[in-house]
Amino acid sequence: MVDHGTTSPDTTAPGTTARPPGDRTRPERRGPWAALRHALPQSYLLLVLLAIVVAGFIASPDFLTARNATNVVTFSTIVAVLAVGQFFVVLTGGIDLSVGSVVALSTVVSALLLQQGYPAGVAVLLTLAACALVGLLNGVLVVGLRIAPFIATLATLSMVQGISYIIQSTSLIQITDPTFVTWFSDGALVGIPNPVLIFILVTLVAAYAARYTTFGRRLYAVGGNREAARLSGLPVNRDLLLTYGLSGLLAGLAGLLAAAQLLQGSSLIGQGYELDAIAAVVVGGASLFGGKGNPVGAVIGCFIISIITNIMNLIGISSEPQLVIKGLVIVIAVFLSSAGGVDRISAAFAGVRGRRRRLAGG
């Protein structure tokens, strides 16, 4: 006679071992070394920034003065805004070499409109619209004509630079509109300069969009595997158009900041800015292959480069060695971000720790 009251069916899944009654799986123990290995890939940027600040304090007594700090932050806002726009393009696996020329176009167009008597608000809107159209043109070349982003934006760089020369004619266009200068340079809110407020707002909006919106998640998917994203039904072409348009728009905003700080429009402004923006994105941990990084990291990368440059200026290093040092910084950053250097370093630390434990146990 079978005792049905004391026998229970075996619910253990096939291929698994039944746990003894009362057995509870212990949570994985994580010591300080394991925690450090987990945190290193996520926090190395802040550690690098902190180390550079300490080095600057040691190298020059003028580094941590209020005036120097304000100058570094204010002049970094232009490249920081550019870096945010460049980040979204790099996130999709592309690149935008035209942003420096778009900065110059923005300064020339805004200065010309202000010179002709347009109100500051109208001049700003028309300038941003023109720069966004340049970004959309890049998107059309990449999506519609299937031209490689490097070639497409290189061609746009040349065209926009030529247009800026034509608009400027032969002389610099001076900016005297007090409202425009207050908005993008001299004004402040609760003691914080307007350029700093603008770049903080841009960074926060970009960080939210990248992390919490469907548009941001789609861009990560496109950068991770464009064909898989397309086969999944994602609007890849539309998102690429919007991404390049956004890059042009933010380049236009950076141009407005430059125009207000320099009080002029010039086709020469912005030369080399595209390389600074790309360097900031790479130093900030984004991969040039796409699908990795965040806009906050790009901004931190911008400040890392700016602070290094500032320290070199304070201690009297000439421009030629500065270029060498910047190049080395970019190489190291590419190793850490795109070549998996952070993971290799953290794994190496873990391996050394493991060998020490085995030797101690033996």
Side-chain angles (χ1 to χ4, degrees):
M1 185 179 200
V2 180
D3 186 2
H4 296 285
T6 58
T7 305
S8 59
D10 184 8
T11 58
T12 304
T16 62
T17 303
R19 296 177 183 174
D23 179 59
R24 296 181 181 179
T25 303
R26 294 181 179 180
E28 181 183 358
R29 296 180 62 184
R30 296 184 59 183
W33 191 260
L36 176 62
R37 183 186 176 190
H38 176 74
L40 183 59
Q42 302 173 5
S43 60
Y44 79 94
L45 274 179
L46 293 178
L47 295 176
V48 170
L49 183 61
L50 178 61
I52 293 172
V53 170
V54 172
F57 173 73
I58 296 173
S60 173
D62 297 325
F63 176 72
L64 285 183
T65 60
R67 180 178 181 181
N68 185 65
T70 301
N71 289 337
V72 170
V73 174
T74 301
F75 288 111
S76 297
T77 55
I78 300 172
V79 178
V81 172
L82 276 179
V84 171
Q86 188 74 247
F87 162 76
F88 283 107
V89 176
V90 171
L91 182 61
T92 65
I95 199 166
D96 189 353
L97 297 177
S98 68
V99 292
S101 294
V102 175
V103 168
L105 178 68
S106 176
T107 66
V108 171
V109 170
S110 59
L112 181 63
L113 292 173
L114 292 171
Q115 187 183 69
Q116 293 180 351
Y118 283 85
V122 175
V124 167
L125 292 177
L126 291 177
T127 301
L128 292 178
C131 295
L133 285 176
V134 174
L136 289 175
L137 173 60
N138 286 328
V140 170
L141 294 177
V142 172
V143 174
L145 301 184
R146 299 185 181 278
I147 301 176
F150 182 91
I151 302 300
T153 57
L154 183 62
T156 309
L157 179 154
S158 179
M159 291 187 291
V160 173
Q161 193 173 48
I163 293 172
S164 299
Y165 276 119
I166 294 171
I167 295 175
Q168 180 189 338
S169 186
T170 58
S171 59
L172 300 177
I173 307 174
Q174 300 298 324
I175 295 176
T176 58
D177 188 290
T179 303
F180 179 84
V181 175
T182 299
W183 285 354
F184 296 103
S185 180
D186 292 346
L189 182 64
V190 295
I192 303 176
N194 284 351
V196 178
L197 291 174
I198 290 172
F199 110 81
I200 290 176
L201 180 62
V202 168
T203 304
L204 292 177
V205 172
Y208 178 85
R211 185 175 179 86
Y212 296 108
T213 67
T214 56
F215 174 69
R217 290 193 289 269
R218 290 200 304 266
L219 293 186
Y220 280 100
V222 170
N225 190 322
R226 182 175 301 185
E227 188 60 27
R230 192 188 312 276
L231 294 176
S232 300
L234 299 183
V236 174
N237 291 343
R238 186 187 70 187
D239 287 342
L240 288 175
L241 283 172
L242 291 176
T243 300
Y244 282 95
L246 177 63
S247 178
L249 178 68
L250 291 179
L253 179 58
L256 295 177
L257 293 171
Q261 291 181 22
L262 299 175
L263 297 178
Q264 64 184 16
S266 170
S267 57
L268 299 178
I269 296 175
Q271 289 186 356
Y273 277 10
E274 63 278 354
L275 300 181
D276 291 339
I278 295 170
V281 171
V282 173
V283 171
S287 171
L288 291 176
F289 298 108
K292 179 184 176 184
N294 62 78
V296 176
V299 171
I300 295 176
C302 169
F303 280 102
I304 288 175
I305 295 175
S306 297
I307 293 173
I308 291 175
T309 303
N310 178 252
I311 293 172
M312 291 190 291
N313 289 332
L314 288 176
I315 62 179
I317 297 179
S318 59
S319 58
E320 291 80 8
Q322 287 190 26
L323 295 175
V324 176
I325 294 173
K326 284 184 180 180
L328 291 175
V329 170
I330 294 172
V331 169
I332 295 171
V334 171
F335 168 73
L336 293 175
S337 60
S338 299
V342 174
D343 293 334
R344 295 183 191 181
I345 294 172
S346 59
F349 283 147
V352 171
R353 180 67 172 178
R355 284 193 296 272
R356 288 180 179 177
R357 285 181 176 177
R358 287 194 296 270
L359 291 174

